[in-house]
Amino acid sequence: MIADLFVKDLILDPSTRNVSDVRHEVKAVASSSSADRAKKFIQDCKVPEGAAAYGSYEELVKDKNVDIVYVATPHSHHYQNTMLCLEAGKHVLCEKAFTTNAPQTKRLIETAKAKNLFLMEAVWTRFFPLSIQIRKFIEDGNLGAVHRVIADNSFGDDVETKYGTTHRMINMDLAGGCLLDLGIYSLTWLFQTLYHTLPPPSRQPPKVISAITPYHLTGADEMTSMILTFPSAPGPAPAGTPDGSTHAAHGIALTNLRVATDPDGHNSARPAIRIQGTKGEIQVDGPAFRPRVWRFIAAKSDEEKGKGKPKVEEHVCDIPGQGMFWEADECARCIRDRKIESDVMGWEESVVIMEVMDEVRRQGGVVYPEKIESLEYPLAL
């Protein structure tokens, strides 16, 4: 469970990641099934004494010792659970995908604004030092004009044996499928390199062409491929174009349950992400959600190609834990500074990404049950 990894990261000494300005305390844990299950979670994660265990989310949000709630339930429940927290006056860090559709995300943002509460989608990869380095590399012009990004996050599983018909990964009642669970990471790489690296006024939503293969036992997507055309991308426009012109870029996001980005578990098939510009290429070794190594391969002129040594700069970014504490640090700093929105993972970008996934599902004919796409609150699921 991702919640286990998150909590274990929270209780690590911040100095192990060279952080001294914020710290975290786990004040309470809630399980929708029983307080005993919450107690077991606290014990298993070795949470320091003093954390309360609740048998319902309603009890948790009434706890005055809780500043911010981390929502790590299935995608289908994010809207209802996050709205519960916001209505109770709690700041929220909600796992990705933020909700099942863009209208739900917009409603959560409206509520957070109205109540002056911090709200962020938990796209932990955005906060890795590796991601920060790559974004700055692009923003500084070192890659030139970026024209194409290819990102893959796929697991090679025996789907029928591992997931059957009820597992959350393929359960339509839980918004299952590879798009919302795995594809969000592929899209993260497209957006953080082709969209977020632009000044906000220059950012334009991409056009989407996609294909989906449904899982024959439940109808959830088991293979999804997306081509996104970003009207404006980082770097200068081609020579000869009018002043002020921009250039477009293609982002190719892939996700699959049956074939893997890393088929042998040794990263022999690297890289998982390729970011291609006029000055060279950035390659990021997988997994896309927790990468540690990236390299820049400098482009050579036609006369230089094949001659001399290749110009490759490799960077290794160690992760002292799982790596989920960096997004928690962002939340703490925003709340401390009385900010209700993160600059790194802002609301507008979360909405645009959700709109892309809505369009991908529309083109592929994937429709979730009405109750988990509803804007009605409260609604029992």
Side-chain angles (χ1 to χ4, degrees), residues 27-280:
K27 290 294 186 181
V29 173
S31 167
S32 60
S33 57
S34 70
D36 286 341
R37 187 175 179 188
K39 290 177 183 176
K40 186 177 187 306
F41 180 94
I42 290 171
Q43 293 169 355
D44 291 347
C45 292
K46 295 181 172 57
V47 175
E49 290 185 11
Y54 295 112
S56 73
Y57 302 145
E58 289 76 11
E59 291 177 280
L60 173 72
V61 299
K62 293 177 183 178
D63 190 324
K64 294 180 180 179
N65 293 316
V66 173
D67 295 322
I68 180 170
V69 178
Y70 170 62
V71 175
T73 51
H75 309 124
S76 53
H77 289 55
H78 286 180
Y79 176 72
Q80 295 292 327
N81 296 158
T82 300
M83 190 65 81
L84 172 69
C85 298
L86 294 173
E87 290 291 348
K90 301 297 185 186
H91 305 293
V92 181
L93 172 64
C94 177
E95 265 304 333
K96 76 247 156 282
F98 217 157
T99 53
T100 58
N101 57 48
Q104 288 183 341
T105 295
K106 292 177 181 178
R107 183 65 59 84
L108 292 180
I109 291 168
E110 291 169 2
T111 304
K113 280 183 180 177
K115 293 182 173 292
N116 197 36
L117 293 168
F118 176 80
L119 173 67
M120 190 179 83
E121 184 177 14
V123 187
W124 60 310
T125 312
R126 285 273 185 133
F127 301 91
F128 280 27
L130 177 145
S131 293
I132 295 169
Q133 290 174 15
I134 290 174
R135 292 198 301 267
K136 187 175 188 305
F137 192 88
I138 293 170
E139 291 166 351
D140 289 347
N142 296 313
L143 198 56
V146 185
H147 285 277
R148 185 169 63 181
V149 177
I150 305 165
D152 180 33
N153 188 43
S154 300
F155 291 174
D157 293 323
D158 181 338
V159 183
E160 288 79 6
T161 300
K162 187 170 182 178
Y163 300 132
T165 59
T166 59
H167 191 281
R168 68 167 187 84
M169 283 293 291
I170 44 73
N171 189 334
M172 291 290 278
D173 289 335
L174 299 178
C178 58
L179 174 62
L180 265 62
D181 202 276
L182 305 180
I184 183 67
Y185 289 106
S186 303
L187 288 170
T188 289
W189 278 99
L190 269 54
F191 272 86
Q192 76 166 336
T193 55
L194 293 175
Y195 190 85
H196 192 81
T197 50
L198 293 173
S202 300
R203 299 172 187 172
Q204 299 180 55
K207 295 180 180 178
V208 182
I209 299 174
S210 62
I212 281 178
T213 296
Y215 178 44
H216 65 103
L217 295 180
T218 68
D221 67 298
E222 67 169 43
M223 175 169 60
T224 297
S225 301
M226 300 161 269
I227 300 178
L228 277 57
T229 300
F230 290 82
S232 182
T241 55
D243 290 344
S245 296
T246 59
H247 71 280
H250 284 177
I252 302 161
L254 308 170
T255 184
N256 199 308
L257 294 180
R258 295 191 186 273
V259 296
T261 311
D262 180 12
D264 66 0
H266 294 289
N267 206 32
S268 302
R270 69 184 198 181
I273 298 102
R274 299 176 68 186
I275 308 161
Q276 300 171 321
T278 52
K279 293 183 179 180

